[in-house]
Amino acid sequence: MSNQLSIQGLQCERGEHILFSDLSFTVKSGKVCFVKGSNGSGKTTLLRTIAGYTQPYAGKINWNDQAATLANPSYTQSCRYVGHQNGLKQGLSARENLEFFQQLYALEKTTDNFTSVLKKLDIENKSQLPVRNLSQGQQRKVALARLLLGSSDLWILDEPFTSLDQTSRAIIEDLMQQHLDQQGAILLVTHEPLMKISSEQINVIELGHE
Amino acid sequence: MSFNWFKYSSPASFYGISHSIIKAASIIAVILCLLGLYWGFAKTPNILTDQKEYYRILFVHVPVAWMSMWLYITLVFWAVIGLIFNTRLSYMMAAATAPTGALFAFLTIWTGAFWGKTSWGVWWDWDPRMTSMLILLFIYIGYIALQNSITDTRRADRASALLALVGVICIPVIYLSINCPDPYQCAALHQQSSLKKIESNILIAMFIMLFATWAYSFAVITHRLRSIILEREKRTQWAQDISKDMT
Amino acid sequence: MSSTIFPVLKRDLLLAYRNSTDIVISLFFFIVVVALIPISLNETESTLPRLAPGLVWIAALLSSILSLHRLFAEDHADGSLDLLLSSSSVYQCVLAKIAAHWLVTGLPLTLISPVIGLAYNLHGEQLSTLFISLLVGTPVLSCIGAIGAAMTIGLRSGSSLIALIVLPLNIPVMVYGSAAVRASINSPDNVMTYLLLLTAMLIIALVFAPLATAAALKISND
């Protein structure tokens, strides 16, 4: 199964200020689209626009020839967005947070799904604690654990490696590699270079060239 | 033959024609206001049923009251156009309309208080119409406050447009609840419209003043709109050219 | 398509349960306001019932507004609003959040209202009318309040701005809610009319308020 996200002539603004215009690219199955650019060049806005939260001023975003908006369930079901904020409830445990996500999106349930996901990310022993008692890096990993629940085709990741140590980073990159091997696609913003993923699988998009 | 319907919906082209609109509307407003006041003071009787000279406050009171309601309707109209077509100018129109509408609602209450003191003996009398006008003023203030509290202009525009829309849906219910707190006695609470009984000269003066306030609103709102356009489009070339010409 | 009401409701109630001071604070706010007024007015037993309808309803309105600013602000701050907005039904999510808000603020004060009514020298059917009017009316306060809360997410002056926006829109609920209780004192035959009017408002609010709130959330989360 091959999926494609295509962006055509995209223009985004923030407070009357044009961040970028006439931006076109495609994200294909099995590829990482690596968005680069200096601070304030509109990377987060681009990701939020593609995830459907922000309205573009001009241009089209299509997921398999259908408009990629929040009103399109086949897009929202296959897309996973992990932004700057973790989207976790501090008063709930890691497990409860994931359970909520699974129910909200009606993802298919498998036995000890959470345990295996949390084990992969090496936070299983903390899964019963309220998230507020976890470290920043551990909270980030719980947020990233959502990527592994159910099946998803497109990951939209905004600075996924924030506050992660080297080991955890490697784990996440391994997971990204597995996702690519299963014909998944990734749209990524990060300041750090990717260590493990081969450069043939990476397309670089540069923002802020004017 | 093709005509570009959206030509004047672009801020730049609107700015070009706005100056002459403001000039014409201001002149009309001044002339009509002088004419209306003259008519109101010279051509009308000194006594209206049991009220003395002070009934003449209605030449200001009634036009501003009608205008404050009419301006809310136009505000909602522009807000809805903005939400549907996402045209920036519509939002700016709505934003430019609100302060004048709020001012008129305030003036209605103020002049009404004076009139009430002279004819009823009290400044304020929780009468349904007065209360409704007060609520309209609150809704205007809420709109302006929301618009000004949000720094991101696009969010400010859309959120306040939505509030205006919610307000217009709620207004009939609010009006009903204020007018008929007791549905069994509702009919008794209605004030009869007194328009038909009024002498024609009073009506003429009132309507001249109505058109004067309308022309005034047109001029002031267009002027405010010009300022909003310049402020928001300050990064564009044409706005910078105009700013240079002005200094 | 499965329902998103249940998970959101469950989550919000669980959070409220774990942080139960929130519930207690808004309930005690209500009680304190209702208790302070007779003290300050120095009213006698005979005039208290006349004041009760208006006062209890104003206290309920203020207590509902007091907790509104947290309704969506926390979800916005921690990023979980994104999750709600890309779920299969934002309408249902909003409805669930409104329901949770009511269960945490409106319902407790409704449950305690007969006791308040006794303190105001109401009795018999007057107490049950007070209870039913609050039971039907306070969800409307939560519905309308949610619109204001969604519009003011993340604003510095958020909580006071919500009050400014929401209070005028709540006038009809207050007028008919207190009129129902007043009718139970003066003309018991008319009580049903007011309760039906309140019910009509509740139905309309349940249909339209989540729509407006969802639209406002999308605008605010832009």
Side-chain angles (χ1 to χ4, degrees):
Chain A
M1 193 176 69
S2 171
N3 295 298
Q4 179 171 310
L5 179 80
S6 68
I7 284 98
Q8 283 168 359
L10 197 67
Q11 176 175 340
C12 287
E13 299 183 11
R14 219 60 189 138
E16 326 282 314
H17 174 65
I18 298 178
L19 291 169
F20 48 81
S21 58
D22 207 21
L23 183 72
S24 301
F25 61 91
T26 51
V27 187
K28 291 195 176 94
S29 292
K31 296 273 184 187
V32 179
C33 181
F34 194 153
V35 182
K36 287 183 176 168
S38 51
N39 291 330
S41 59
K43 300 187 296 292
T44 294
T45 306
L46 174 67
L47 260 54
R48 290 188 65 81
T49 308
I50 292 173
Y53 300 117
T54 298
Q55 301 291 313
Y57 274 73
K60 274 189 218 159
I61 307 165
N62 282 330
W63 173 249
N64 297 336
D65 299 326
Q66 280 180 314
T69 61
L70 292 182
N72 177 0
S74 76
Y75 180 62
T76 52
Q77 284 288 319
S78 49
C79 165
R80 291 273 194 287
Y81 171 78
V82 178
H84 273 293
Q85 274 98 19
N86 287 330
L88 301 174
K89 281 288 159 202
Q90 297 288 313
L92 302 181
S93 70
R95 208 185 171 86
E96 284 164 337
N97 267 297
L98 294 182
E99 204 170 29
F100 166 68
F101 182 78
Q102 188 184 48
Q103 289 170 348
L104 185 71
Y105 285 76
L107 305 172
E108 66 272 34
K109 256 189 193 148
T110 51
T111 43
D112 72 7
N113 206 345
F114 303 125
T115 317
S116 69
V117 164
L118 291 167
K119 211 174 244 168
K120 271 185 197 165
L121 289 159
D122 194 26
I123 36 175
E124 193 217 353
N125 54 346
K126 298 278 173 75
S127 68
Q128 304 294 340
L129 290 176
V131 165
R132 76 164 66 83
N133 296 356
L134 303 185
S135 74
Q136 287 296 320
Q138 287 167 329
Q139 293 190 17
R140 194 68 183 152
K141 282 197 279 186
V142 179
L144 290 165
R146 284 200 301 263
L147 297 169
L148 305 176
L149 293 179
S151 63
S152 57
D153 299 313
L154 175 65
W155 290 0
I156 302 178
L157 309 177
D158 197 347
E159 300 285 359
F161 306 130
T162 312
S163 50
L164 292 187
D165 56 24
Q166 286 304 317
T167 346
S168 310
R169 254 202 74 153
I171 297 174
I172 301 297
E173 274 200 50
D174 283 338
L175 292 174
M176 285 165 67
Q177 184 65 57
Q178 280 172 28
H179 180 62
L180 295 176
D181 294 343
Q182 291 159 6
Q183 292 304 297
I186 298 174
L187 183 61
L188 176 72
V189 164
T190 175
H191 282 103
E192 298 151 64
L194 292 171
M195 306 292 189
K196 295 196 164 186
I197 296 166
S198 69
S199 57
E200 297 102 69
Q201 286 182 294
I202 302 176
N203 292 329
V204 176
I205 306 288
E206 288 268 1
L207 288 183
H209 278 280
E210 288 182 51
Chain B
M1 201 178 89
S2 72
F3 178 77
N4 185 0
W5 290 99
F6 288 100
K7 186 180 173 207
Y8 290 110
S9 70
S10 123
S13 52
F14 173 81
Y15 194 92
I17 59 163
S18 62
H19 190 65
S20 42
I21 293 177
I22 296 173
K23 218 174 191 174
S26 313
I27 293 169
I28 294 171
V30 172
I31 292 172
L32 284 179
C33 183
L34 292 173
L35 182 67
L37 288 177
Y38 165 75
W39 207 288
F41 277 103
K43 302 266 186 180
T44 51
N46 285 338
I47 292 175
L48 178 69
T49 57
D50 58 336
Q51 300 188 41
K52 293 188 196 128
E53 297 274 3
Y54 43 69
Y55 82 87
R56 288 202 167 100
I57 213 161
L58 78 83
F59 299 127
V60 181
H61 180 72
V62 176
V64 292
W66 284 351
M67 213 56 209
S68 67
M69 294 184 258
W70 173 243
L71 286 179
Y72 191 76
I73 294 170
T74 57
L75 188 158
V76 172
F77 171 79
W78 289 120
V80 170
I81 296 286
L83 286 173
I84 294 172
F85 298 106
N86 214 4
T87 41
R88 284 175 300 166
L89 190 62
S90 322
Y91 291 126
M92 296 187 209
M93 286 277 222
T97 308
T100 306
L103 175 71
F104 281 170
F106 174 71
L107 279 180
T108 309
I109 292 166
W110 194 12
T111 55
F114 280 127
W115 198 4
K117 184 66 185 166
T118 55
S119 64
W120 303 331
V122 285
W123 295 105
W124 184 262
D125 175 42
W126 297 100
D127 156 88
R129 285 195 188 180
M130 301 168 83
T131 319
S132 307
M133 192 47 78
L134 191 64
I135 303 305
L136 184 64
L137 179 62
F138 288 161
I139 290 178
Y140 269 124
I141 290 173
Y143 174 91
I144 296 169
L146 183 65
Q147 174 103 39
N148 289 328
S149 311
I150 305 175
T151 42
D152 181 77
T153 43
R154 187 159 72 144
R155 184 185 156 190
D157 282 343
R158 291 163 72 203
S160 54
L162 188 65
L163 178 63
L165 187 61
V166 171
V168 88
I169 294 166
C170 291
I171 279 174
V173 189
I174 297 174
Y175 189 79
L176 176 88
S177 72
I178 291 169
N179 272 286
C180 304
D182 183 352
Y184 292 95
Q185 295 169 15
C186 198
L189 276 161
H190 268 300
Q191 290 178 331
Q192 289 290 313
S193 172
S194 44
L195 273 184
K196 281 175 194 150
K197 291 179 284 185
I198 290 180
E199 194 187 313
S200 57
N201 271 327
I202 296 180
L203 277 186
I204 292 170
M206 205 170 80
F207 275 101
I208 295 174
M209 287 303 285
L210 178 67
F211 286 116
T213 40
W214 186 82
Y216 162 82
S217 317
F218 208 85
V220 169
I221 290 169
T222 315
H223 188 77
R224 197 175 290 121
L225 184 61
R226 268 166 69 97
S227 314
I228 295 175
I229 290 175
L230 265 197
E231 196 187 331
R232 293 198 184 177
E233 305 273 307
K234 58 182 174 245
R235 286 196 179 77
T236 63
Q237 193 55 49
W238 69 268
Q240 283 171 2
D241 291 345
I242 288 169
S243 313
K244 259 180 229 148
D245 291 347
M246 287 198 294
T247 48
Chain C
M1 195 158 64
S2 79
S3 162
T4 59
I5 291 183
F6 175 69
V8 178
L9 189 63
K10 186 180 145 201
R11 182 197 70 162
D12 274 25
L13 289 179
L14 190 61
L15 284 168
Y17 169 73
R18 290 199 179 151
N19 197 0
S20 49
T21 42
D22 286 356
I23 309 177
V24 178
I25 285 174
S26 69
L27 181 62
F28 272 89
F29 177 83
F30 173 72
I31 295 172
V32 167
V33 170
V34 179
L36 270 185
I37 294 166
I39 298 172
S40 64
L41 289 180
N42 195 21
E43 292 289 328
T44 58
E45 273 174 29
S46 55
T47 50
L48 266 181
R50 202 167 46 84
L51 294 173
L55 293 182
V56 173
W57 263 96
I58 288 177
L61 176 61
L62 293 179
S63 144
S64 159
I65 284 178
L66 188 70
S67 53
L68 273 176
H69 69 276
R70 281 198 319 273
L71 184 57
F72 296 113
E74 281 176 5
D75 283 349
H76 178 68
D78 63 23
S80 49
L81 189 58
D82 288 342
L83 301 181
L84 299 183
L85 286 181
S86 51
S87 70
S88 57
S89 171
V90 184
Y91 183 92
Q92 291 178 8
C93 288
V94 171
L95 203 58
K97 291 216 58 117
I98 291 173
H101 179 259
W102 178 72
L103 288 171
V104 169
T105 62
L107 185 64
L109 71 86
T110 305
L111 291 176
I112 206 164
S113 65
V115 182
I116 304 283
L118 283 177
Y120 273 79
N121 211 12
L122 300 179
H123 39 74
E125 269 188 24
Q126 298 162 2
L127 289 175
S128 58
T129 310
L130 180 67
F131 178 79
I132 296 171
S133 75
L134 285 170
L135 189 69
V136 182
T138 45
V140 187
L141 302 181
S142 294
C143 284
I144 297 175
I147 306 175
M151 282 173 179
T152 54
I153 284 174
L155 302 184
R156 208 161 36 84
S157 53
S159 47
S160 46
L161 191 58
I162 292 178
L164 187 63
I165 290 172
V166 167
L167 282 174
L169 303 181
N170 275 328
I171 288 170
V173 189
M174 267 199 8
V175 170
Y176 291 126
S178 47
V181 187
R182 211 173 301 119
S184 72
I185 302 172
N186 302 325
S187 49
D189 294 345
N190 299 349
V191 168
M192 207 53 195
T193 316
Y194 295 111
L195 294 181
L196 287 175
L197 271 169
L198 280 178
T199 315
M201 282 182 200
L202 176 60
I203 293 168
I204 295 170
L206 281 177
V207 174
F208 289 106
L211 282 179
T213 309
L217 283 177
K218 279 175 188 159
I219 291 168
S220 298
N221 196 42
D222 196 329

